[in-house]
Structure formats: C-alpha cells, structure tokens
Amino acid sequence: MSATAQKKAPMPTDIRARKGGTPLVSLTAYTTPMAQLMDAHCDFVLVGDSVGMVLHGLPSTLEVTMEMMILHGQAVSRGLSRAMMVIDMPFGSYEQSPEQAFDSAARLMRETGAGAVKLEGGQHMAPTIDFLVKRGIPVMAHIGLTPQSINTLGGYTVQGRGPHADTLMQDAKAVAEAGAFAVVLEKVPEGLADRITAQINIPTIGIGASAGCDGQILVVDDMLGLFTAFKAKFVKRYAHLGEEGEAAIAAYAREVRARRFPGPEHVFADEAPKPKAGT
C-alpha cells in the first residue's frame, strides 16, 4: 500500500474491536469546517443533539428535531473522510416503539451517510437496540446522565452513586448484550466507570467518567473555549477561542469606527491595473 494512501474510515465493528486497546478519540461536530479540523485526529465524530444548546441557543436538547440533526449531519459528512460519523437520535424519535426507532434511524443514516446512530437509555432501551441491530442499524448506547431525560433525572447530576451503582451496571450490561457496539458513560463516578469498563465486552466512551474508559468524547466547542455560557467539571479547555474571537471582533470594530479598516491593500482602484510588459 502506498504511504500516501488515504486511511479508510473505521466501521462500527472496528470501533468495537478496539476494546481494551489504544483509547478511542472522539469529539462532537456540527459543521463542515469543524469536521475537517478533527477528521485526521478522531476515530469517530459525533453529530450530537447538543447542537441545540451549542449552536441554536436552546435551553436543552429536548427541542432538537430530526430535521436539525439531518441538516447538521449532512454538513459534518462533507468534512469527513477518515473518521466514522455517528449521529444522535433526537428526543421523541425512538422512544415510542422499536418500529419508530427503526424508521428514524434509517432516515438519519440514509440522508446523512452516518455509519451509526446513538440513542440514550439503558435496560428499558435494550429491546429497541436489539431490534435495530438485527435490522442492520449499528447502535452506540448512552447511559448515566442522559440529557434527554433531565426532567425525570432532576437536572444534570452525577449518576450511579451509592445504591444506584448496581442499576447503572445493569444498564451497561443490558445495552452490551442487546448488541450496541459501544456505550457512552456520562457523568458517572470514576470507580463505577472503571468497573463497567472491566465487566462489559464493548468499548466505554467516557465524558465525565474515567481515564480508564476505552475512549473519551467532549463537545468540541467546550474544549476549544467557544461555548462559554457554562463549563462542566469534566471539560478541559485546550484553547480559549471564544475570548480570542471576541477580542478580534472588538479590534475590528475599533478599526472600522476609526476608518482604519479597510486599508489601501483591501480596496480596488477605479481602473484595473495594466499587465506588466512581457506577461
């Protein structure tokens, strides 16, 4: 194989085979330019329903629609060639029945080119996961803090502490047995995340869980410092682009008001310059 040959995007089976190996790297993406930035560095990219809060200013993920997910999924797909794309199933698109879930998942994959879908829920969603997988829909599960359930969970609180640890362990085992190829553990105590990782045979993807998980995911706007409305404990800022961006906009505004922009190099003469002799 040529050393310059383009790497092929992994399949869900490839992600599953990474269990216990080099940690999987993932970020969310909602636009083509951001997908292009992370394509060479991520194993899979998630088109998350967090787009509702991050880009659309919504108070939660509950208002996100299928049409929004498809629009952003199509944008992200144009920016990826090396990383696998996973897309979130929005609230209300899969909970009613396995048949509803199949129709929604098939539409998302067909219209965006996603390699898999992600849905929230543990034991109660295991039959739906089984239904989808048996019909050709690869599923990434998501347990622990499930943002689509914040109204019943009582907010964005840590899940699985004390007597609730066993329930979360059973959730993890249920989605693995149902055929999910990986499971996101969100806002789960470190020790419990480590025990789950050790006891199930599919990769765990941590977000506010443990470095011992089989992979990690963050919202890209959080880790780049673009989303600044709040910062979760589990977020590490690798850059502060929001602050830098605001400073750049302020500098632009000052130059416009002072008539320092545009400068001579940014404007055009009344007549096109004559070509130089010999050209």
Side-chain angles (χ1 to χ4, degrees), residues 2 23 29 37 131 147 159 179 183 185 191 206 219 239 252 255 269 272:
S2 168
L37 289 178
F131 187 91
Q159 300 295 307
V183 57
L185 306 181
V219 171
Y252 163 74
E255 291 195 2

Side-chain angles (χ1 to χ4, degrees), residues 26 41 48 59 70 75-76 125-126 129 140 160 165-166 168 186 189 222 236:
S26 180
H41 308 286
I70 290 169
V76 169
M125 290 308 301
I129 294 172
M140 178 176 288
D166 184 63
L168 201 56
E186 181 168 357
D222 284 340
K236 178 177 178 179

Side-chain angles (χ1 to χ4, degrees), residues 24-253:
L24 293 154
V25 177
S26 180
L27 289 167
T28 63
Y30 319 113
T31 65
T32 303
M34 198 65 80
Q36 290 171 329
L37 289 178
M38 63 183 69
D39 186 39
H41 308 286
C42 291
D43 297 294
F44 70 91
V45 168
L46 174 68
V47 186
D49 59 358
S50 50
V51 67
M53 302 171 73
V54 174
L55 293 191
H56 293 274
L58 297 173
S60 72
T61 62
L62 299 179
E63 295 89 343
V64 174
T65 65
M66 284 283 288
E67 288 69 27
M68 289 169 65
M69 295 307 303
I70 290 169
L71 177 67
H72 289 283
Q74 290 171 340
V76 169
S77 70
R78 297 183 193 110
L80 298 180
S81 61
R82 297 163 58 95
M84 183 180 77
M85 188 173 86
V86 181
I87 190 165
D88 265 338
M89 299 187 70
F91 178 69
S93 69
Y94 61 95
E95 297 91 339
Q96 185 176 3
S97 68
E99 290 79 11
Q100 181 208 27
F102 179 83
D103 289 343
S104 298
R107 182 185 174 195
L108 284 172
M109 293 182 68
R110 180 173 62 248
E111 296 190 29
T112 68
V117 299
K118 180 171 76 65
L119 58 78
E120 297 180 4
Q123 297 172 69
H124 68 287
M125 290 308 301
T128 295
I129 294 172
D130 177 73
F131 187 91
L132 294 179
V133 171
K134 286 180 176 176
R135 287 159 179 79
I137 305 287
V139 178
M140 178 176 288
H142 182 159
I143 63 173
L145 173 62
T146 47
Q148 293 176 8
S149 302
I150 57 166
N151 290 331
T152 54
L153 293 176
Y156 297 93
T157 57
V158 176
Q159 300 295 307
R161 282 178 169 157
H164 303 291
D166 184 63
T167 299
L168 201 56
M169 177 65 77
Q170 295 308 312
D171 283 339
K173 291 180 177 179
V175 299
E177 291 170 2
F181 68 91
V183 57
V184 171
L185 306 181
E186 181 168 357
K187 221 165 182 180
V188 173
E190 183 179 26
L192 176 58
D194 287 339
R195 293 194 297 276
I196 290 173
T197 300
Q199 292 190 35
I200 64 173
N201 63 357
I202 61 173
T204 55
I205 311 298
I207 177 167
S210 169
C213 289
D214 297 297
Q216 301 293 328
I217 187 169
L218 284 175
V219 171
V220 69
D221 294 70
D222 284 340
M223 58 86 70
L224 290 179
L226 286 168
F227 182 77
T228 57
F230 60 86
K231 177 181 174 295
K233 173 182 171 64
F234 55 76
V235 171
K236 178 177 178 179
R237 296 265 200 249
Y238 286 82
H240 299 276
L241 301 188
E243 295 176 8
E244 294 177 17
E246 185 175 0
I249 291 168
Y252 163 74

